[in-house]
Amino acid sequence: MNIEPFALERLQSVYEHQVEINLSESGVEPLRLEELLPADEVGSLLGEPLGYTQTNGTVALRELVAADYPGASAEHVLITAGSAEANFLACWRLVEPGDEVVVLHPNYLQTHLLAAAHGARVRPWPLRLDGEGGGARWAPALDVLGDLVTERTRLVLLCNPNNPTGARLTAAEVDAVCAAAARHGAWVLSDEVYRGAERDGSLTPTAWGRYERVVVTGGLSKAYGLAGLRIGWLVAPAALTAELWSRRDFTTIAPAALSDRLGRVALAPDRRRRLLARARRRIAEHYPIVRDWLAAVGAGLSHVPPEAGAIACVRYPHAIGSEELATRLRRAASVLVAPGAHFGLEGHVRIGFGGEAPALRAGLDRLGRLFASLAPPA
């Protein structure tokens, strides 16, 4: 099997710890262990055995995950090494050579690249700019979905809330996706790792429970600020979850013992509410920094305000590719941003604003100076 390099992850893996300011990250500022774990629980953590855990995740952790998906139970949940492993396992099981896979675009391209590597024909399904001015939003092109999803379609791939745009599909739009898949018996894989990080505090509709062939993936990386725990999950029909558990025997085998334990701490109901409130507060406070910077810089820059996630997808009109732009910024100013080309959206950059405010302001200032140095657009 040949697989195309995952350009975004390669960029971040190589450079995110080498630059002074990292604006390529899409989650909120990571928590420190002392912020997550109450002082009276530290002693019990020191007594945690460092052996193998239950390999599909402890029952307690799976029950906590299931509680966020109506009608789900622990048997529907598989704990994985981040949502990336959950997406990998689902594609490994569901996609065969010759299948067609419909992928919402722009998107985090992991599942697109995996589907192509497994021999599928990938059919992009566009998010389009709908409306003007303050009422504009990125909306799925439902008018073409019926032509894209056919009897050859094996899988429809969503990222909701969307990366890199921060857009959300409405409940009616998710229902339309499930209905299109159901007409041909296709599966829906909905990556919902940004769910819970909404600017308006209204939880994004999940695809779970809308159709019997739905797999949902998520994790503690983005909205929870706990990427270093590498705790993700998938929620699927129980029979499929059992199959994917057996495939996990060939990958990471089991969650790290301390991560499983800390995942249970994070997802305890009261603490979960506090962590998501923290993310929403950070996003609400920092988005205006980006918005005001865009207004001040001008230079033809534009964006649609993100509905969820600590990310802004900024369009620029200059005659320079987004990868070259990101490279110049990194080399000249030690700032890392994510090129739009890494999401199938050239002429854009994704700016993460979930970190600390001083670094965000400094990084935007350096990016603004780079745009000012470029030849004006025609």
Side-chain angles (χ1 to χ4, degrees), residues 1 8 50 89 112 117 139 178 185 216 247 264 304 333 358:
M1 180 178 75
L8 175 64
L50 298 180
L89 292 171
H112 178 134
C178 291
V216 168
R247 293 200 175 210
R264 283 175 267 153
V304 174

Side-chain angles (χ1 to χ4, degrees), residues 3-148:
I3 187 165
E4 182 180 334
F6 195 172
L8 175 64
E9 291 300 332
R10 283 287 82 212
L11 177 81
Q12 291 179 303
S13 297
V14 173
Y15 296 116
E16 65 182 348
H17 297 293
Q18 295 184 15
V19 294
E20 292 178 16
I21 301 173
N22 179 19
L23 300 184
S24 73
E25 177 53 59
S26 60
V28 296
E29 183 72 14
L31 283 166
R32 297 186 301 275
L33 181 57
E34 64 184 359
E35 296 175 287
L36 174 64
L37 195 65
D40 60 357
E41 294 184 26
V42 172
S44 62
L45 184 66
L46 294 176
E48 185 75 21
L50 298 180
Y52 287 109
T53 63
Q54 173 68 24
T55 61
N56 57 342
T58 58
V59 172
L61 180 56
R62 287 184 284 125
E63 286 177 340
L64 288 167
V65 170
D68 197 36
Y69 302 94
S73 66
E75 69 177 357
H76 296 100
V77 178
L78 175 65
I79 302 301
T80 58
S83 58
E85 186 184 29
N87 289 330
F88 176 86
L89 292 171
C91 289
W92 184 16
R93 164 61 180 81
L94 294 176
V95 181
E96 299 287 347
D99 288 341
E100 290 190 355
V101 174
V102 174
V103 184
L104 192 63
H105 264 236
N107 210 322
Y108 181 69
L109 291 182
Q110 180 202 16
T111 47
H112 178 134
L113 298 174
L114 285 171
H118 284 294
R121 178 192 177 199
V122 177
R123 306 191 73 186
W125 171 40
L127 276 174
R128 293 175 178 164
L129 283 177
D130 183 23
E132 297 180 354
R137 70 180 287 254
W138 289 95
L142 295 178
D143 57 318
V144 302
L145 184 61
D147 293 330
L148 289 171

